[in-house]
Amino acid sequence: LSHQEASTRSVVEQMEDIRKRIDAANQDKASLEQRLKQAGVDAEQAARDTEAGKQEAARLKAETEEMRKKKAMELETEQATAARERDEEDELQRVREAGKQLAGLLHLKSSRPGAGTAAPAAVVTPAPAAAAPAWGSRPAAPR
């Protein structure tokens, strides 16, 4: 009887050990299933994040291109304005030179003996000293 009890006890202990291992395996399985499920959720979130990132990158690229175009247009406008201002200054300088030449010719004509009536003072008078000097001219040296 004692041999039979010992044998039964051994079988019962083995069954309990097997049951514990089965429970541990089931817990491991449940844990793995939970981790797998979480990995799937994480993968879906990563896919959404990747898509959102792609969309954000495309939006930023479009914004950057738009800003580049705007800056290029501003630069073109600035260059055109500067060129127009240079052209206007050049034309103003040509007008000044022509005015000086005309004043010189009128002065010569009026200073000749037997010349007719002098031209009106407003036409003969050269530009005031405060006017911009001729291009390339130098101011008088201080004394």
Side-chain angles (χ1 to χ4, degrees):
L1 189 68
S2 78
H3 176 65
Q4 205 175 16
E5 281 180 13
S7 178
T8 305
R9 209 174 282 177
S10 174
V11 169
V12 169
E13 287 173 1
Q14 288 176 357
M15 286 177 58
E16 285 179 16
D17 186 44
I18 291 171
R19 196 171 301 131
K20 286 179 185 177
R21 283 198 237 156
I22 290 172
D23 288 345
N26 284 337
Q27 287 177 351
D28 288 347
K29 178 183 173 191
S31 174
L32 288 172
E33 286 174 346
Q34 181 61 35
R35 287 174 49 196
L36 182 61
K37 183 178 177 183
Q38 185 60 45
V41 169
D42 291 347
E44 290 173 4
Q45 184 62 44
R48 284 191 297 272
D49 291 348
T50 300
E51 184 59 32
K54 287 179 184 177
Q55 290 174 357
E56 180 68 7
R59 184 186 66 75
L60 290 173
K61 183 178 178 182
E63 270 183 34
T64 301
E65 182 63 20
E66 189 64 32
M67 288 174 63
R68 187 196 63 74
K69 287 179 182 178
K70 184 178 178 184
K71 286 292 182 188
M73 287 175 53
E74 287 175 2
L75 181 59
E76 273 185 45
T77 301
E78 288 174 10
Q79 290 173 341
T81 300
R84 182 176 34 93
E85 288 172 353
R86 282 191 307 273
D87 291 347
E88 289 172 356
E89 186 60 37
D90 290 347
E91 182 64 23
L92 180 60
Q93 191 60 39
R94 284 191 289 276
V95 168
R96 285 182 185 139
E97 290 297 321
K100 287 179 183 178
Q101 289 177 0
L102 181 60
L105 289 174
L106 289 174
H107 178 72
L108 283 175
K109 181 178 177 186
S110 66
S111 65
R112 287 190 317 192
T117 59
V123 174
V124 176
T125 306
W135 186 81
S137 67
R138 296 172 50 189
R143 296 184 191 240

